[in-house]
Amino acid sequence: MKIIIIGGVAAGMSAAVKAKKIAKDAEIVIYEKTDVVSWGACGLPYYVGDFFKDSNQLIARPIGKLRETGINININHEVLSLDVKNKTVKVKNLETGEEFEDTYDKLMIATGASSIIPPIRNVKLKNVFTLKDFKDGILLKEAALKGSVKEVVIIGAGFIGIEVVEAMKKLGKNVKLIQLDERVLPDSFDKEITDIMEKELVKQKVDLHVSEMVKEFEGESRVLKVVTDKGSYNADLVLIATGVRPNTAFLKETGINMLENGAIVIDEFGETSIKGIYSAGDCATANHAVTKENVYIPLATTANKIGRTVGENLAGERNSFQGTLGSAAVKVMELEAARTGISENEAIKKGLEYKTVFISDKNQTDYYPGQEDIFVKLIYDASTRVILGGQIVGKKGAVLRIDVLAAAVFMKMTTHQLGMLDLCYAPPFSRTWDALNVAANVAK
Ligand SMILES: Cc1cc2nc3c(=O)[nH]c(=O)nc-3n(C[C@H](O)[C@H](O)[C@H](O)COP(=O)(O)OP(=O)(O)OC[C@H]3O[C@@H](n4cnc5c(N)ncnc54)[C@H](O)[C@@H]3O)c2cc1C
C-alpha cells in the first residue's frame, strides 16, 4: 500500500509517524514544499521576542530521525495538482524545477494555511511581515533586532498579533496594535474577558486602536507610515496578523467538498468527501464536540490529534476523533487567558437557550505571597445547567484551570457538579473553594 501525504508539519507528520508505526510495510511518501518539517509555529512569537536564540529549538523531530523510521520525506517539493480519478499527484521539485507524477492508494492533504493579506495599498513595501512560516520568523526577528526599528505597528489583534505585541515590547519597541473589530480576540473571547485584556495592554503602554481600518502604507522602498481611516502613524516595521486561509486552491478541480473559506470538510474519521482521501489541520474542518458542527478552528492541538487519527485510518484502522472544544490559551503581556467550548457570542448565533455567570475571585489565599485576581465566565444550558463553555483570565495559575473546564464541557458536567467538584487546595495554589467551584456555585 502506498500513502502520499502533502505537507509535513503538525498534521501531516503526526499522521505519517502513526501510520508507519501501525502499517510497517506501507510505503509512506511526504511532499513538503519548504525545507523544514515537524516544527512548531506556536513558538515563533517567542523566538522573535528573543526568549530563545536557536530557531532549531522550534523543530520537534529532526528530519534525519524521521527518515530512519522509513518515511520517505521529500522537502522542497510542491504538489501542484491532484487527479482523484487516476489517484495521482503532480509534483514539482522546487530545487531542480523538474515536474513529475506520483501515484497513491491513499492520500492525506495536510497543507495548512497561509496568512491572509488584506487589501492595503503598497503592501509589498520592505519591513512589512507576516508570521506563519519558519522563514517568516527568521526574517521578522532579523529586522526587529535592528536598533533602527523603534516604531512597530501590528495589524490584527488575534492570537498571533497579541503574542507578537509581547515579543516586540520585550525587544523594547513602541508598539501600536490596530484592530478592525471593536475589541481584541472577538472570535474567541467574550467582552467581559477582552475588556480585561485591553486594560492590560493599555497599562503596559501598548497603543491600542480598535474599530480602525488600515488602508495604505507610505514609503519609498521601506514602510514609513501606516495610514488608516482614522489617522496616519510612523512605522519602522509592520506585522500583518489578520488571520489565515486554508492552502487548498490547488484542489479546486477535484470536487472535494470545502467550506466557503476553502477548508476541506472532513468527517470524524478525518476522511474527505472522496473515499480514501483524508485531511487534517489548518487546511481542514474539525467536528465540534459541543455543537456537532464542522468548524474551522486552526490550532496545533487539533492538527496533532486529528492528524494522528488519520494516521491510524491510513494504516487500515477505523477510529474517530472525539471532537474539538476550540480550547486555546494566550498570554496578554502579564495576563494569561484561556477559553474552551462555546462562547456567549456563539451561543447567541446558534439561538441556544443559555445562561452565563461571570465572577471575579482570587487565585489563592491572601497570606501566601502572590495572590492575584482571577476572572471566570461560564456559559451553560438554561434548563439542564450543562456547561457549554468557559473563559478564564488572570495571572498566576489562571490558564491551566481551563483544562478542568475542557473536561467538564466534554463530559457534559452541570454547574451543580462543578460547584461541588473535589478540586485541590493548598494555600499557595488556591482557596478552599477554587475559583471554578465559586463560579459554578454562583450559576443559577
Ligand atoms: C505564530 C503562530 C503561533 C501559533 N500558536 C499556537 C498556539 O499557541 N497553540 C495552538 O494550538 N496553535 C498555535 N498556532 C497554530 C498552529 O501552528 C497550527 O495550527 C499548526 O501548525 C497546523 O499544522 P498543519 O500541519 O495543519 O499546518 P502547517 O503547520 O501550516 O503545515 C502545512 C505544511 O504544508 C506545506 N504545504 C502547503 N501546500 C503544499 C503543497 N501544495 N505541496 C507541498 N507542501 C505544501 C506547507 O509548506 C507547510 O509546511 C500558531 C500558529 C502561528 C503561525
Side-chain angles (χ1 to χ4, degrees), residues 6-7 9-11 31-34 41-42 79 110-112 132 281-282 299-300:
I6 316 173
V9 189
Y31 290 114
E32 164 55 53
K33 78 175 179 189
T34 68
C42 314
V79 172
T111 48
K132 182 75 182 75
D282 284 11
L299 286 169

Side-chain angles (χ1 to χ4, degrees), residues 5-14 30-46 74 76-81 90-92 94 108-115 131-134 136 159-161 163-164 244 247-248 250 280-284 297-304 327-330:
I5 297 176
I6 316 173
V9 189
M13 200 52 83
S14 299
I30 293 183
Y31 290 114
E32 164 55 53
K33 78 175 179 189
T34 68
D35 60 357
V36 54
V37 293
S38 183
W39 69 284
C42 314
L44 280 177
Y46 307 101
N74 302 276
N76 298 314
H77 279 68
E78 180 175 6
V79 172
L80 301 177
S81 60
K90 189 170 166 195
V91 188
K92 182 172 185 174
L94 299 175
M108 180 193 192
I109 303 158
T111 48
S114 297
S115 305
L131 189 62
K132 182 75 182 75
D133 299 336
F134 201 84
D136 292 342
F159 286 102
I160 296 173
E163 286 175 352
V164 176
V244 296
N247 292 325
T248 54
F250 74 110
D282 284 11
C283 63
I297 306 179
L299 286 169
T301 44
T302 31
N304 279 279
S327 303
V330 65

Side-chain angles (χ1 to χ4, degrees), residues 128-436:
V128 175
F129 297 89
T130 54
L131 189 62
K132 182 75 182 75
D133 299 336
F134 201 84
K135 249 200 200 122
D136 292 342
I138 307 279
L139 295 175
L140 177 59
K141 182 168 184 173
E142 213 175 84
L145 285 180
K146 286 187 186 142
S148 56
V149 169
K150 294 195 170 68
E151 304 297 326
V152 170
V153 176
I154 296 172
I155 305 170
F159 286 102
I160 296 173
I162 285 188
E163 286 175 352
V164 176
V165 164
E166 186 193 5
M168 292 298 170
K169 288 302 274 185
K170 178 163 174 287
L171 296 179
K173 313 295 177 188
N174 298 322
V175 179
K176 196 177 299 301
L177 178 59
I178 304 180
Q179 165 79 333
L180 180 61
D181 288 284
E182 59 191 16
R183 30 187 206 97
V184 302
L185 285 160
D187 297 333
S188 305
F189 292 91
D190 292 325
K191 190 169 182 313
E192 298 94 325
I193 305 288
T194 59
D195 279 353
I196 295 165
M197 293 175 178
E198 289 174 7
K199 236 188 232 165
E200 169 71 5
L201 289 167
V202 172
K203 185 176 146 206
Q204 300 287 345
K205 303 205 165 19
V206 175
D207 188 11
L208 176 64
H209 293 230
V210 293
S211 307
E212 189 161 341
M213 183 192 266
V214 175
K215 299 268 192 195
E216 177 177 357
F217 298 145
E218 283 178 7
E220 281 294 302
S221 62
R222 193 169 61 78
V223 64
L224 295 174
K225 274 188 190 299
V226 172
V227 182
T228 72
D229 56 355
K230 292 192 177 155
S232 165
Y233 314 106
N234 291 337
D236 300 314
L237 185 152
V238 172
L239 175 77
I240 300 177
T242 48
V244 296
R245 179 180 297 126
N247 292 325
T248 54
F250 74 110
L251 302 169
K252 244 191 240 150
E253 313 297 321
T254 59
I256 292 175
N257 195 10
M258 296 182 201
L259 296 185
E260 221 168 276
N261 74 341
I264 297 167
V265 176
I266 55 171
D267 60 17
E268 67 269 37
F269 304 102
E271 199 162 19
T272 70
S273 55
I274 297 182
K275 209 173 165 339
I277 300 183
Y278 294 79
S279 185
D282 284 11
C283 63
T285 60
N287 49 318
H288 198 288
V290 176
T291 65
K292 309 293 173 206
E293 289 172 355
N294 269 322
V295 293
Y296 184 64
I297 306 179
L299 286 169
T301 44
T302 31
N304 279 279
K305 288 172 188 130
I306 304 184
R308 178 189 287 197
T309 308
V310 166
E312 292 163 355
N313 296 338
L314 286 169
E317 296 184 354
R318 190 76 177 149
N319 301 322
S320 58
F321 174 60
Q322 59 192 15
T324 179
L325 291 165
S327 303
V330 65
K331 187 149 178 278
V332 185
M333 298 304 294
E334 287 177 11
L335 284 183
E336 326 181 330
R339 53 98 58 225
T340 190
I342 60 168
S343 63
E344 181 172 5
N345 268 353
E346 286 165 310
I348 292 170
K349 276 189 209 151
K350 301 211 174 315
L352 301 180
E353 295 285 318
Y354 72 93
K355 284 186 178 173
T356 67
V357 62
F358 174 70
I359 62 136
S360 155
D361 196 21
K362 299 288 177 189
N363 67 321
Q364 62 174 65
T365 53
D366 57 358
Y367 50 78
Y368 188 88
Q371 191 188 53
E372 298 285 357
D373 292 329
I374 185 167
F375 303 87
V376 180
K377 176 165 179 173
L378 298 178
I379 298 102
Y380 56 98
D381 186 282
S383 54
T384 62
R385 295 222 246 155
V386 166
I387 301 163
L388 304 171
Q391 298 163 35
I392 305 177
V393 64
K395 290 191 176 170
K396 187 178 148 200
V399 146
L400 287 181
R401 279 183 167 94
I402 209 70
D403 289 340
V404 172
L405 283 188
V409 172
F410 187 76
M411 297 309 291
K412 301 189 171 27
M413 193 179 270
T414 63
T415 52
H416 176 71
Q417 288 170 318
L418 179 63
M420 297 305 282
L421 190 66
D422 185 19
L423 299 176
C424 68
Y425 162 62
F429 306 112
S430 60
R431 300 206 286 183
T432 354
W433 292 87
D434 186 76
L436 293 182

